[in-house]
Amino acid sequence: EFLAMNNTTEYEAVLLGLQKLIALRVRRSIIQLDSQVIVGHIEKNFAAKEPKLVRYLAAIRRMEKHFVGFTLCHIPRAENAKADELAKAATHNA
């Protein structure tokens, strides 16, 4: 259950970040995530199977049309405290 909550939080952080980039009219971006699962879903290396995560992924796919491109970069969680802060902020301030 914790893993599912963490994945949900990570997806919400990505969506919030993409919304902000769209509002700023950013067309290209590098997105750093500490969730290899979410990076795998978005990069099409892993299949999202849980219905809630499938819906999050579909929302990201809809947002992709606003970008020329964005690159995902997996940063190990132990090395990326900033990503954890942003993910927590996304769920509390969205």
Side-chain angles (χ1 to χ4, degrees):
E1 186 175 327
F2 175 75
L3 183 58
M5 282 182 53
N6 188 52
N7 288 336
T8 298
T9 302
E10 294 288 341
Y11 264 117
E12 288 177 3
V14 172
L15 287 168
L16 180 61
L18 292 175
Q19 289 169 351
K20 290 182 184 274
L21 290 171
I22 291 167
L24 293 169
R25 294 190 169 106
V26 172
R27 301 286 290 155
R28 293 180 189 270
S29 181
I30 298 173
I31 300 169
Q32 296 180 334
L33 294 169
D34 61 12
S35 172
Q36 189 171 10
V37 171
I38 304 308
V39 171
H41 289 169
I42 297 170
E43 291 285 320
K44 301 177 184 174
N45 295 325
F46 306 150
K49 296 177 183 171
E50 185 181 324
K52 189 171 190 175
L53 299 184
V54 170
R55 288 191 300 274
Y56 278 120
L57 183 56
I60 288 173
R61 296 284 179 245
R62 288 189 299 273
M63 296 178 91
E64 284 179 322
K65 66 183 176 190
H66 296 281
F67 297 90
V68 172
F70 54 82
T71 302
L72 295 171
C73 181
H74 174 249
I75 306 293
R77 185 160 290 139
E79 298 171 20
N80 197 10
K82 188 66 174 171
D84 283 339
E85 291 173 28
L86 292 172
K88 289 175 187 173
T91 58
H92 289 83
N93 298 321

